[in-house]
Amino acid sequence: MPMHDDASRSVPLYYNDILPEGNAQRQPLVLCLDTSSSMADEPITMLNRALQEWVRELRADINLCNSVEVALITFGGQRVCTWKGTTMLADAADPDAFVAAHAFGAPHLQASGVTLMTDALRTAVRLVAARKAALRAAGHLYYRPQICLITDGQPTDAEGRQTDDWRQIVPMLTDQQEKKKFRLFAIGVGGISPHGEQVLRAIAPRYYARLQGFPFRQVLQMLSASAGTQDKGDGEEVYQKIFARFTTQRSAWNT
């Protein structure tokens, strides 16, 4: 009998609000995006363009548009924001933030302010937990959620000062990942520093990468490929191979 167990093999679910009816297999996916001032000008333009292209690709892929559900978290300005499609939510951990891929639309993002990465990760974890609780309460099952952090910087406090408060959440993130509560990808882009890379390695030891430039489209394509393997019940080595292919041969994703 299927169970609500994150460590189990892939299992079906559906969500009656905006997701397809029936036993559609659901894959919760949280994009956690840096929109601080370091992303201004060309990087944020490239990110917005990549998100719009990804939306079209999701809708064109029959398997993904009927399985993936997307929530978006941004950290920039002076706060962390959670989006339901193009709408910013008052409650950052609202489980209703998730939108089916076939209905998902990305907001137009702007870059400013500080890099509240630690708060954004806490929000992502709370959002995933709230979503799973809502699904369990409704009697639905789910695949292991995936969180993807994309940043070109390192954590700061609300005043823009570099901070080590991210170290406080590493034990929690490590425990949650080991217990298969979610899969966390941490991608450093642009001019991310060696210290920024250290942060990524600590929070996502299996799935971190420091990449040149701003290959947002390839990152999103990697997430699509990873999400697309869930219904096959593949082991963790498959996801590691997908990630290794992405980090070593980024041009292979540019198709």
Side-chain angles (χ1 to χ4, degrees), residues 183-206:
R183 186 177 289 109
L184 174 60
F185 299 95
I187 313 294
V189 296
I192 190 168
S193 68
H195 177 70
E197 183 180 5
Q198 176 191 359
V199 175
L200 302 184
R201 184 186 297 113
I203 64 175
R206 286 190 177 183

Side-chain angles (χ1 to χ4, degrees), residues 2-223:
M3 300 182 66
H4 301 284
D5 181 10
D6 299 323
S8 66
R9 291 168 67 89
S10 300
V11 287
L13 65 88
Y14 66 95
Y15 186 64
N16 291 328
D17 228 0
I18 55 174
L19 303 182
E21 294 184 357
N23 275 349
Q25 298 177 349
R26 307 312 306 168
Q27 168 61 72
L29 174 60
V30 179
L31 298 180
C32 194
L33 306 179
D34 186 345
T35 57
S36 63
S37 58
S38 61
M39 288 285 293
D41 299 324
E42 185 179 9
I44 199 69
T45 298
M46 294 175 67
L47 178 56
N48 279 313
R49 184 182 302 124
L51 284 170
Q52 294 301 326
E53 292 175 352
W54 188 57
V55 166
R56 290 191 291 270
E57 291 170 1
L58 283 179
R59 293 176 178 176
D61 189 310
I62 295 176
N63 292 326
L64 293 179
C65 77
N66 287 319
S67 62
V68 173
E69 56 178 31
V70 184
L72 178 63
I73 294 171
T74 57
F75 54 104
Q78 299 299 318
R79 61 175 178 151
V80 174
C81 299
T82 298
W83 302 77
K84 180 177 182 177
T86 59
T87 302
M88 187 186 302
L89 299 178
D91 180 2
D94 186 344
D96 196 36
F98 289 86
V99 179
H102 69 81
F104 177 70
H108 182 77
L109 302 177
Q110 298 182 354
S112 66
V114 297
T115 311
L116 300 175
M117 188 188 305
T118 305
D119 289 344
L121 286 168
R122 287 195 179 103
T123 299
V125 173
R126 291 199 303 269
L127 183 61
V128 164
R131 180 60 173 163
K132 293 192 297 183
L135 291 167
R136 285 194 296 267
H140 302 316
L141 302 173
Y142 48 81
Y143 298 151
R144 192 194 315 180
Q146 298 188 162
I147 301 170
C148 182
L149 170 75
I150 304 177
T151 180
D152 71 337
Q154 53 197 19
T156 68
D157 61 18
E159 304 300 322
R161 296 183 294 259
Q162 182 178 326
T163 178
D164 285 332
D165 65 353
W166 59 271
R167 296 183 186 276
Q168 300 171 8
I169 65 170
V170 169
M172 177 272 290
L173 292 174
T174 300
D175 179 69
Q176 294 277 295
Q177 291 175 85
E178 288 179 350
K179 291 179 177 177
K180 305 186 189 305
K181 300 297 184 182
F182 51 79
R183 186 177 289 109
L184 174 60
F185 299 95
I187 313 294
V189 296
I192 190 168
S193 68
H195 177 70
E197 183 180 5
Q198 176 191 359
V199 175
L200 302 184
R201 184 186 297 113
I203 64 175
R206 286 190 177 183
Y207 298 106
Y208 79 91
R210 178 186 180 188
L211 305 176
Q212 297 297 317
F214 298 92
F216 300 121
R217 183 166 183 262
Q218 292 92 329
V219 174
L220 295 172
Q221 287 178 321
M222 179 276 295
L223 290 177

